Amino acid sequence: MKLAIGSDHVGLELKPTIIDYLKELGHQVEDFGPTTNQRTDYPKYGKKVAEAVAAGDYDGGILICGTGVGISISANKVKGIRAVVCSEPYSAKLSKEHNNTNILAFGSRVIGSELAKMIVKEWLEASFEGGRHANRIKMIDQI
Ligand code: RB5
């Protein structure tokens, strides 16, 4: 898959590990920043990654901030984006199967690198089930 990744200065702590892991799994990854741990603002990176995913340039996006909350809220402001913040793999998997999420977010202050990798793997390997869930996605789009 071709994936876009972004963070803020707090999420940057976990980002290199996740980038390496994605490459190890055979995915192509583009880092939308930041590249230094200078204090910055998560909405900037949530927006950049969300716009790239919504434009169809990437198969999905991964966002990391301290909690995953601010950066996922920012991404969800972009039309066509369904970003989920997850701290465990079950919700990550179901968020793809039922909600067709196109961005996964998590918090570097909430979870460790091994749990983050497990969450990423479940999310990437899951597929949207369509059917009754497709109609609900349409309903979301109409809100
Ligand atoms: C930055 O201090 C922190 O607010 C941010 O990383 C994130 O947790 C926001 O939701």
Side-chain angles (χ1 to χ4, degrees):
M1 285 172 89
K2 193 178 167 200
L3 302 165
I5 193 165
S7 69
D8 68 354
H9 54 293
V10 184
L12 181 64
E13 200 181 300
L14 203 49
K15 190 169 61 175
T17 308
I18 300 302
I19 292 175
D20 288 348
Y21 182 61
L22 291 169
K23 287 181 180 168
E24 221 175 90
L25 292 176
H27 300 291
Q28 196 184 321
V29 196
E30 183 159 345
D31 185 4
F32 280 70
T35 52
T36 72
N37 62 2
Q38 198 178 346
R39 186 182 297 272
T40 185
D41 303 304
Y42 56 79
K44 285 184 198 167
Y45 300 95
K47 180 175 187 278
K48 278 189 193 184
V49 167
E51 286 179 343
V53 172
D57 298 338
Y58 294 85
D59 300 311
I62 295 184
L63 291 170
I64 317 168
C65 67
T67 57
V69 174
I71 207 157
S72 59
I73 290 175
S74 308
N76 275 317
K77 300 289 284 185
V78 175
K79 197 172 165 51
I81 292 301
R82 288 174 302 280
V84 62
V85 55
C86 281
S87 301
E88 40 73 30
Y90 180 76
S91 302
K93 177 173 156 49
L94 269 287
S95 82
K96 183 74 82 63
E97 291 177 352
H98 290 191
N99 317 112
N100 201 13
T101 48
N102 46 16
I103 291 188
L104 170 69
F106 46 87
S108 63
R109 286 175 172 161
V110 181
I111 57 171
S113 58
E114 293 310 305
L115 183 54
K117 286 184 202 172
M118 204 179 277
I119 291 169
V120 165
K121 193 163 191 289
E122 287 292 334
W123 186 71
L124 289 173
E125 287 178 357
S127 307
F128 182 48
E129 288 176 358
R132 69 185 190 280
H133 303 297
N135 192 44
R136 292 168 184 156
I137 301 299
K138 269 191 211 146
M139 290 170 76
I140 293 174
D141 288 342
Q142 284 161 7
I143 294 171

